[in-house]
Amino acid sequence: MALTVSQYNSIMRQYEERQTRNRHLREQRLRHIYDTVAGYQALDESVASVSVAQGKKMLAGDQRALERLKQELRTLAGKRADLLTKNGYPADFLKPVYDCPDCRDTGYVNGQKCHCFRQAEIALLYEQSNLKRMLEKENFSTLSYSYFEGDALTAYRQAVEKCKNFSTNFKSNYQNLFFYGTVGTGKTFLSNCIARECIEMGCSVLYFSAASLFDLLSRNSFNYKARDELSSLCADLYGCDLLVIDDLGTETATALTLSHFFTCLNERLLRQKSIIISTNLSLEDCRNRYQDRIFSRIASNFEFCKLTGPDIRMYKKVARVAP
């Protein structure tokens, strides 16, 4: 699935709006021509009368009625086009108006997504992934090894290779990644690199910090009026192609939100929908902090990737303020 249901509906509403706007534009043009080009409306109305007359003949068994109808319609179309050009308008001035002539603003050509749908899809995925601004700066093209050395550099190179393989094979090979290690060692950066590649492939990506995800689950759980919102949220959490959960361990967890978190993990594992989790906690801390059933799901279904080394964020901050 390249889009969640809500994302798909959002794009289709855009197409409906285009169709409505362009239909109104053509109607305005038609009224203008009726008002300004003498004889055009009569020719237009004759199309209906000719069609009705020949239709009756076809129903009566006239074998040549269809051919005569086609010929008369071609003649009328030619007269209307001539009338338009003689009055200074393009011959196709009153043809249906489309933003995309290839799919006629339906989004599909021969059952396949049109190129315009693909562009709308990518734009929406970026906009709704909460990653748009970050991904402009954090991607494989801006990746640097200059902050690492020794064993930390070796580990980081291996992690980058895993991430590139994860991205390259994302559509064909189901995987989950769990980044852990010391603060500021590139865990979030690598998660964003993968997210960028997946979005570019047209896959749906949802990004949450653990704190914002747990807070969202908590607020919706206790709000009866938000039941539909919670249902929609869960549908997206369970169904999007890639779910990124950043900074696990910074959230305020309750028994209820942990239950929702377990359900989310379990549903995605059952559906084979990929997850990336990053945390500054050690594996031992994760085991102690979360329920056994949560950690066991992670341990048995994720590839672990440990990152160590300097705090890159601190290095960059010092570099910015240095004289």
Side-chain angles (χ1 to χ4, degrees):
M1 181 186 71
L3 290 172
T4 64
V5 172
S6 59
Q7 288 171 331
Y8 178 85
N9 289 340
S10 177
I11 290 180
M12 293 312 296
R13 282 195 296 273
Q14 293 177 27
Y15 280 104
E16 291 171 3
E17 290 169 2
R18 291 182 196 176
Q19 293 168 12
T20 300
R21 169 170 46 81
N22 289 332
R23 185 171 63 251
H24 289 164
L25 176 58
R26 185 182 180 278
E27 290 171 354
Q28 290 172 1
R29 289 181 177 181
L30 184 61
R31 287 195 297 270
H32 173 73
I33 293 300
Y34 282 176
D35 292 339
T36 59
V37 178
Y40 192 92
Q41 184 171 0
L43 281 175
D44 227 13
E45 292 171 349
S46 65
V47 171
S49 60
V50 166
S51 299
V52 170
Q54 295 299 334
K56 290 179 179 179
K57 292 181 180 179
M58 281 188 281
L59 292 174
D62 188 337
Q63 300 297 319
R64 300 185 58 194
L66 180 59
E67 184 57 37
R68 283 197 299 270
L69 173 61
K70 291 179 180 179
Q71 180 58 47
E72 290 187 51
L73 291 178
R74 283 194 294 268
T75 300
L76 288 170
K79 289 181 178 180
R80 286 182 295 172
D82 288 342
L83 200 54
L84 287 174
T85 56
K86 286 177 181 177
N87 284 271
Y89 297 95
D92 62 353
F93 185 67
L94 292 178
K95 284 188 175 181
V97 180
Y98 303 114
D99 283 17
C100 178
D102 295 333
C103 69
R104 299 186 175 185
D105 293 342
T106 64
Y108 287 83
V109 178
N110 298 324
Q112 301 296 318
K113 289 179 181 176
C114 181
H115 58 85
C116 66
F117 191 104
R118 170 75 172 132
Q119 290 302 312
E121 188 175 35
I122 291 175
L124 185 64
L125 292 173
Y126 265 115
E127 196 65 38
Q128 295 193 352
S129 66
N130 298 331
L131 289 168
K132 186 175 182 180
R133 291 183 179 179
M134 284 189 289
L135 298 190
E136 291 174 354
K137 298 179 180 179
E138 300 189 358
N139 54 73
F140 285 125
S141 67
T142 62
L143 185 146
S144 173
Y145 297 100
S146 60
Y147 299 100
F148 300 89
E149 58 184 25
D151 291 341
L153 176 59
T154 300
Y156 191 67
R157 287 187 181 279
Q158 291 173 347
V160 170
E161 193 62 29
K162 283 183 182 179
C163 292
K164 289 184 175 180
N165 288 335
F166 184 102
S167 303
T168 301
N169 302 312
F170 183 77
K171 288 190 173 182
S172 59
N173 186 22
Y174 167 63
Q175 306 168 76
N176 301 299
L177 281 177
F178 189 93
F179 293 108
Y180 71 104
T182 51
V183 174
T185 49
K187 299 182 291 296
T188 298
F189 183 94
L190 291 179
S191 297
N192 291 344
C193 288
I194 294 173
R196 164 78 176 257
E197 297 299 309
C198 291
I199 290 174
E200 291 289 347
M201 289 187 288
C203 299
S204 54
V205 178
L206 287 180
Y207 168 91
F208 289 96
S209 68
S212 64
L213 176 60
F214 276 61
D215 179 62
L216 189 61
L217 289 172
S218 178
R219 284 188 286 109
N220 281 282
S221 296
F222 290 104
N223 186 349
Y224 177 79
K225 295 180 179 178
R227 181 174 294 180
D228 290 342
E229 293 181 22
L230 179 61
S231 177
S232 177
L233 169 64
C234 289
D236 287 348
L237 286 175
Y238 302 161
C240 66
D241 294 316
L242 174 63
L243 174 63
V244 180
I245 303 174
D246 192 31
D247 262 348
L248 188 69
T250 60
E251 74 284 345
T252 300
T254 66
L256 183 59
T257 55
L258 284 175
S259 177
H260 281 305
F261 181 49
F262 170 79
T263 301
C264 178
L265 286 178
N266 200 49
E267 282 291 334
R268 291 190 65 82
L269 293 174
L270 290 173
R271 300 182 190 196
Q272 293 200 324
K273 296 294 184 179
S274 294
I275 311 169
I276 296 177
I277 296 176
S278 67
T279 182
N280 294 327
L281 300 175
S282 67
L283 293 183
E284 185 65 28
D285 288 338
C286 285
R287 183 181 291 108
N288 294 333
R289 181 181 177 90
Y290 298 100
Q291 302 165 350
D292 287 342
R293 61 176 184 165
I294 291 177
F295 188 78
S296 66
R297 291 294 192 283
I298 293 173
S300 57
N301 291 283
F302 284 71
E303 181 173 1
F304 289 98
C305 191
K306 184 177 182 180
L307 294 175
T308 59
D311 186 339
I312 298 173
R313 296 191 192 97
M314 187 59 66
Y315 266 91
K316 289 182 177 179
K317 184 176 181 179
V318 171
R320 284 196 297 269
V321 299

